[in-house]
Amino acid sequence: EMRPLGTSMIMIAYDDEIGPCVFKTDPAGYYASFKACSVGTKQTEANSFLEKKIKKKSDLNHEETIQTAINCLSTILSADFKPTEIEVAVVSKDKPNFHVLTEEEIDAHLTAIAEKD
């Protein structure tokens, strides 16, 4: 019998004892903790990109983490994004509640990424 619907989900949180947490669930109900992960059609390519970046530098600061995520999405999809075309949300020690970045904040990160290249 075939399962009609299934979802994968990435959950983020900040725990006072262990710090930032990222969990991914799959349609079978399996879940695991990651430093970085992706879900979707090109998740294999995105996970490989993230693994390489995390191996190079595992102690990313807040800004670098956001820029790595945006850069991953841009690289894997071969797209140059405008601030209106993507949404970015973060959870951190300073702001433990789910926070969606504004277009201005996203634009600043896109500019920083462009300057690095």
Side-chain angles (χ1 to χ4, degrees):
E1 186 174 320
M2 192 167 92
R3 181 178 22 221
L5 296 173
T7 60
S8 290
M9 179 171 41
I10 297 175
M11 298 171 281
I12 59 174
Y14 189 87
D15 183 274
D16 290 332
E17 293 180 17
I18 60 174
C21 303
V22 179
F23 293 94
K24 177 179 166 183
T25 66
D26 69 10
Y30 173 77
Y31 67 95
S33 174
F34 294 91
K35 288 188 177 196
C37 65
S38 65
V39 171
T41 306
K42 295 190 176 186
Q43 72 182 12
T44 304
E45 295 93 332
N47 285 336
S48 294
F49 178 96
L50 292 168
E51 282 178 25
K52 289 176 188 170
K53 293 291 183 181
I54 300 284
K55 280 184 183 177
K56 282 184 185 176
K57 185 175 182 186
S58 62
D59 58 337
L60 298 172
N61 66 33
H62 183 77
E63 305 300 312
E64 291 170 328
T65 302
I66 294 169
Q67 290 166 18
T68 299
I70 294 171
N71 194 18
C72 176
L73 192 60
S74 178
T75 301
I76 299 306
L77 297 177
S78 301
D80 290 325
F81 294 114
K82 297 175 187 162
T84 56
E85 296 175 332
I86 59 173
E87 282 186 321
V88 179
V90 295
V91 173
S92 66
K93 183 176 183 177
D94 298 332
K95 295 181 181 178
N97 294 328
F98 192 79
H99 170 69
V100 178
L101 299 184
T102 65
E103 287 181 14
E104 291 78 23
E105 290 171 312
I106 294 171
D107 190 40
H109 288 293
L110 291 171
T111 302
I113 292 167
E115 290 173 356
K116 285 181 188 176
D117 297 338

